[in-house]
Structures are given as C-alpha cells and as structure tokens.
Amino acid sequence: MSMSFLLKIAVLACLWSSTWAVFYSQGGRTDDKLCFCQLQGNIDDCSCNVDTVDHFNNMKIYPRLNSLLTSDYFRFYKANLKQNCPFWADDSRCAMKFCSVQSCDERDVPEGIKGFSIETPSYKYTKDAQESTVVDCGNDLNAELSYLNTSISDKAHQGFQLWADHDEAQDNFCILDDHQEGAEYVDLSLNPERYTGYKGDSAHRIWRSIYLENCFGSPKHKKSPFVPYIPYSELSSNSGTCMEERVFYRLISGLHSSINIHLCANYLLSEKKGFMSETGVWGSNIEEFIRRFSPNETNNQGPHWLRNLYFAYIVELRALAKAAPYLLNETYFTGQSDQDKSVQKAVQDLLNVITNFPNHFDESTMFNGGVGSLKLKTEFKEKFRNISKIMDCVGCDKCRLWGKLQVQGLGTALKILFSGKFDNATSLANANRNEKLKLKRTEIVSLFNAFGRLSTSINKLEQFRKLMR
C-alpha cells in the first residue's frame, strides 16, 4: 500500500471527524447555519408554495415595485409622529441621530399631492348655493309658512362630515392620522428603513404588547421562554385554532419577520465610527440574521417565522389583485403631467402582473360562519386597530414611521379583503372622482409601500441564502 494512498485516507478521516464534531456541537444540525432559510413546500393556509412566490416576486414584482415606489406619488407619506403613547409613559426615546426623521418642507411636496391628501368633504357647495331664494307670496298671511330655508351653515356641514368620517372609519382596520394636527409629510427615500440602534426593553415591550395583548393566544404562552411567540405546533389546522386566529397571528409574525430582515440587511456595520459621524457604513449582517432566525437561537421557531413572511406577502398580494379595478381607475395625481402618466402606466403594468398570479389567497374561507363569525370579525378588527395605536409608543421616530406605514398598509389590505366594499369589481371599475373615495391617498401609498417592504424582504432573503452558501 503506497504512502500517498495512506496519506489520503488520513486526510479523509480528519475531515470526517471534524464534520461530526460540528454536527454534535450544533446539537445534531450541521445544516443549521446553511439551510434554515432555504424554505420549501406549501405556505401554511395557502394553496401556493415558497418556490413559486420566490420566482414570481424576485423576477416580476420586485423590479417593477422598486421602481414605482421612487415616484413622487408614492414616496411622500403623511403621518403624525408626535402622538403620545396611549398605553404607558413614553420613558425611552432614542437619542441617536439615526433614529430621527427628516420631514419635508411644504414647498418640496408637489401641489397635487397636498391637494388630494387634505381631507375635503364629499359635498361641494359655493357661497351662491348657500344663499336661499325667497319666493314672493304677496301679502299672503301664510307667506312665512311658504318660505323654505335651504341654506346649511358651515358648522352643520362640519357635523355632517364628522358623521361621514365616523361611518367610514367603521370599515378601517387601523387608525389614520394624516389629517391630525402635527401630521407632516415625509420623503420615504430620504428616511430609509434600517437598523438605528433602537433596542432593549423599550423595543421588546412593543412586540410583547402586540403579541400578548392583541393575539388570540392562551395564557399558557406567557409562561413560555419565548414569551411573545405562539409555537408553530399550536397553529396547525388540526390544533383547534380557527382559521381567523391563525391568519391574524401569521400576519403579525410575517410583518415582524419582514422588519427584522430589513434591519439585518441594512445594519450599521461600523458602529463606533458611524454613531460619531454624520454617516455610517450600512450593509448585510449575517450574524444578526442568524441570531434572529436560526433554529438554534429561536427554539426551532425561526424558519416558521420566515414562512409567515410569505403568508403576509400572499395576503397583501391578494388585496392588490382584488382592488385592481379600483386602483386602475385612480389618477395618481401630483400635478406633474409627464410623471403622472408614467406612474399610471407603471401601476397598470404591476397590477396586470399581480392579477395573473396563479394561486391567490382565498379570503372567502374566513368570517363566513354566521353570528359567531361577525363577532370574531369585529374582534379581529379591534385588535388590529389597537396595534396601530401601539405604533405611537415606539421610541425611535424612524422605526415609528415605518411601523405606522407597514401596519397601515396591512390594515388597508384587510379593509379591501373584508369590508365588503371591494367585492363588486364592476362598481369599482366604474368609480369616478365625484364619488366619495373608498381609499384615501395615504391608504393607497401605505398599501403599495407596505407590499414593497414585504417584496424587498423576500428579495433580501434570497441574498442571505447566497451569502450563507
């Protein structure tokens, strides 16, 4: 037996022993760091699979959506970031400069956007219309009885608008604050979502409140070491958890996963230099990604959280497809003619692709069991509205901005799917500017941008897979 042959055997033996050493050191998972984000198979409570969504999003949706969201109509978002937390004392504000939000000068916002974002009454009246016409009835003693005063005071008009706003708000799954005092326009392109250094008890309390106070979990979850999160085993179709409760939790978990992926993909890599200078160095942090999603670090729940990202994506995709007849009829007006036409065509192109997706989420399987389902639907809506209020408790302004936008976008998607106003495609296609809009501009902007965040997360997930290979 030659010496070279024996040497090869020795080398192979060393490699084999090293492999098993890693295997046992990782609790029997050599592929933990390599394969946990390589998801496969069907998406829970959906008829489509992960591979289909990956290809559809990365090849067709992400490039179109990423381009569309740079337009003026979609990058200017109005929100109130100065609201006080309604649930607890706001005891922890992020003092780092990367937490701050750069608001817009009103002069930088296109006039068309400012005109359509202001809450205006659906009725139209002029001074002339308010002036009553008196009919001359001669000396008839009953002349005063013949007079009909058709004028309506401004105060009465305001009251009518408050009633109309109240009725409309009953369909909303989130709180809209763009009309409140203190609301400002923000250029989203100048305030990207990324890791700002906001962490600790204040940040954890936000998610604990969202999960524990608003989801439908049982009290035993509070004793779990992974407190806010419901174990995947309790979310299966045969676990006794109803479809509506599973959907609610998976949407929140998917949103949470998406935000975590954004933070890992845009992480402050040079912390010492970055926090002391005007600009930091940002990029992908694979160690942070592993910490947040690896089975070893999350009690085997991380891959399921990533799957919930796909579920949230599918739900918002379906909402856009369902509202397509209405959205195609929008003008996306900014007052800049050439850009408005370009955006109109881009939206049409995107929606045509979305409506052709082969396996949309079926919302008809929810809230269709009689009186009990109506009660569950009301509870579903109230819990989600409560989550939108919790966004006012986020101690980092930039995190608050993107949290509000994504929660509002998801809430708009739920409004489209479950309010009943978007069930008739024909009436949506015939909608015109004279009717009271079913969606405000801020809802449309948040809907597209929230879907853009989910689309970006799925695209970034593929990049993390490549890095880990």
Side-chain angles (χ1 to χ4, degrees):
M1 190 176 294
S2 68
M3 183 63 68
S4 61
F5 180 79
L6 291 175
L7 182 60
K8 289 179 181 178
I9 292 296
V11 170
L12 287 173
C14 289
L15 290 174
W16 182 259
S17 62
S18 297
T19 299
W20 280 102
V22 172
F23 179 85
Y24 287 113
S25 69
Q26 294 184 348
R29 302 187 194 91
T30 57
D31 61 346
D32 179 63
K33 290 188 177 182
L34 297 177
C35 300
F36 74 83
C37 60
Q38 189 65 51
L39 307 177
Q40 295 179 337
N42 288 337
I43 300 170
D44 299 301
D45 289 319
C46 290
S47 60
C48 60
N49 60 59
V50 170
D51 290 338
T52 299
V53 173
D54 276 334
H55 177 78
F56 183 78
N57 178 72
N58 296 338
M59 296 295 104
K60 297 182 179 182
I61 296 295
Y62 177 73
R64 289 176 167 86
L65 194 53
N66 204 37
S67 174
L68 177 65
L69 296 180
T70 63
S71 67
D72 284 355
Y73 185 89
F74 288 105
R75 70 186 176 93
F76 288 105
Y77 175 68
K78 192 175 186 181
N80 187 352
L81 303 179
K82 300 175 182 178
Q83 291 265 70
N84 292 325
C85 175
F87 301 111
W88 57 76
D90 192 6
D91 57 356
S92 179
R93 300 292 293 178
C94 180
M96 298 174 181
K97 62 177 175 295
F98 295 119
C99 290
S100 64
V101 169
Q102 179 181 344
S103 59
C104 292
D105 189 305
E106 287 284 334
R107 294 171 296 181
D108 297 330
V109 181
E111 291 299 323
I113 288 179
K114 288 187 288 187
F116 277 104
S117 64
I118 296 175
E119 301 252 357
T120 55
S122 57
Y123 52 81
K124 294 182 179 180
Y125 65 98
T126 63
K127 182 178 179 181
D128 293 337
Q130 294 183 63
E131 294 177 355
S132 59
T133 301
V134 180
V135 179
D136 184 6
C137 297
N139 295 321
D140 191 343
L141 295 176
N142 294 321
E144 292 185 4
L145 297 179
S146 300
Y147 168 68
L148 179 64
N149 188 338
T150 58
S151 65
I152 300 177
S153 67
D154 288 341
K155 185 176 181 180
H157 274 296
Q158 293 171 4
F160 295 155
Q161 184 60 33
L162 289 175
W163 295 340
D165 290 343
H166 176 269
D167 292 340
E168 183 182 2
Q170 302 312 301
D171 295 321
N172 292 341
F173 282 73
C174 57
I175 306 298
L176 304 180
D177 61 10
D178 60 307
H179 61 286
Q180 297 176 352
E181 183 179 355
E184 295 180 301
Y185 285 100
V186 175
D187 185 340
L188 297 175
S189 67
L190 300 179
N191 298 275
E193 184 182 21
R194 59 191 183 187
Y195 180 76
T196 63
Y198 176 60
K199 56 185 178 180
D201 291 340
S202 177
H204 293 316
R205 180 165 55 178
I206 297 297
W207 286 111
R208 281 199 302 270
S209 298
I210 288 174
Y211 282 105
L212 295 179
E213 297 177 17
N214 296 289
C215 279
F216 300 84
S218 63
K220 68 181 180 180
H221 297 141
K222 297 184 180 182
K223 299 178 182 179
S224 168
F226 294 86
V227 176
Y229 315 115
I230 300 176
Y232 177 75
S233 59
E234 298 184 24
L235 290 170
S236 62
S237 57
N238 57 4
S239 66
T241 306
C242 70
M243 173 73 168
E244 290 81 2
E245 293 178 7
R246 298 199 305 271
V247 166
F248 190 97
Y249 176 78
R250 288 195 172 111
L251 287 175
I252 301 305
S253 176
L255 174 63
H256 193 182
S257 296
S258 180
I259 291 174
N260 279 337
I261 291 173
H262 303 156
L263 304 185
C264 294
N266 292 279
Y267 202 87
L268 186 60
L269 299 178
S270 59
E271 181 171 346
K272 183 176 180 180
K273 176 182 177 182
F275 284 123
M276 297 299 294
S277 63
E278 289 300 320
T279 58
V281 178
W282 308 85
S284 298
N285 187 329
I286 195 168
E287 289 79 13
E288 184 67 15
F289 177 78
I290 291 171
R291 187 186 71 79
R292 291 176 185 261
F293 293 107
S294 165
N296 280 351
E297 301 288 340
T298 61
N299 197 29
N300 292 318
Q301 296 300 304
H304 299 303
W305 299 340
L306 291 175
R307 298 182 78 85
N308 290 335
L309 160 66
Y310 285 81
F311 181 81
Y313 179 93
I314 287 296
V315 169
E316 292 196 16
L317 183 77
R318 168 57 185 155
L320 283 164
K322 186 172 184 176
Y326 174 81
L327 295 171
L328 287 171
N329 202 45
E330 270 292 312
T331 58
Y332 305 98
F333 180 74
T334 66
Q336 303 165 100
S337 178
D338 290 342
Q339 185 175 138
D340 291 350
K341 291 179 182 178
S342 176
V343 169
Q344 187 82 38
K345 291 179 180 178
V347 169
Q348 181 177 0
D349 177 49
L350 175 65
L351 292 176
N352 286 339
V353 172
I354 287 175
T355 53
N356 288 324
F357 183 71
N359 301 106
H360 277 292
F361 175 74
D362 183 8
E363 73 278 9
S364 67
T365 60
M366 298 175 59
F367 306 119
N368 56 9
V371 177
S373 290
L374 292 176
K375 182 179 179 181
L376 185 61
K377 184 177 180 180
T378 300
E379 186 180 4
F380 192 103
K381 186 187 302 180
E382 289 176 351
K383 288 179 180 293
F384 202 87
R385 286 169 66 90
N386 198 51
I387 290 174
S388 71
K389 294 178 183 177
I390 291 177
M391 291 299 102
D392 286 320
C393 300
V394 177
C396 163
D397 286 346
K398 189 166 291 182
C399 306
R400 180 183 291 205
L401 166 67
W402 285 100
K404 276 178 170 284
L405 183 144
Q406 291 173 81
V407 167
Q408 188 180 103
L410 181 52
T412 303
L414 295 175
K415 175 180 177 179
I416 292 169
L417 294 178
F418 301 119
S419 70
K421 288 188 174 181
F422 293 82
D423 293 346
N424 189 332
T426 302
S427 63
L428 295 178
N430 293 331
N432 58 67
R433 303 299 305 186
N434 294 324
E435 296 181 62
K436 186 173 180 65
L437 295 179
K438 295 181 178 68
L439 292 178
K440 297 183 174 69
R441 178 186 170 272
T442 186
E443 292 177 292
I444 295 175
V445 171
S446 64
L447 175 66
F448 277 82
N449 272 283
F451 184 60
R453 293 285 77 202
L454 296 175
S455 174
T456 298
S457 293
I458 290 177
N459 183 266
K460 294 296 183 183
L461 192 55
E462 179 60 28
Q463 293 182 27
F464 275 115
R465 292 188 189 113
K466 292 178 180 179
L467 288 173
M468 295 175 74
R469 294 190 191 111

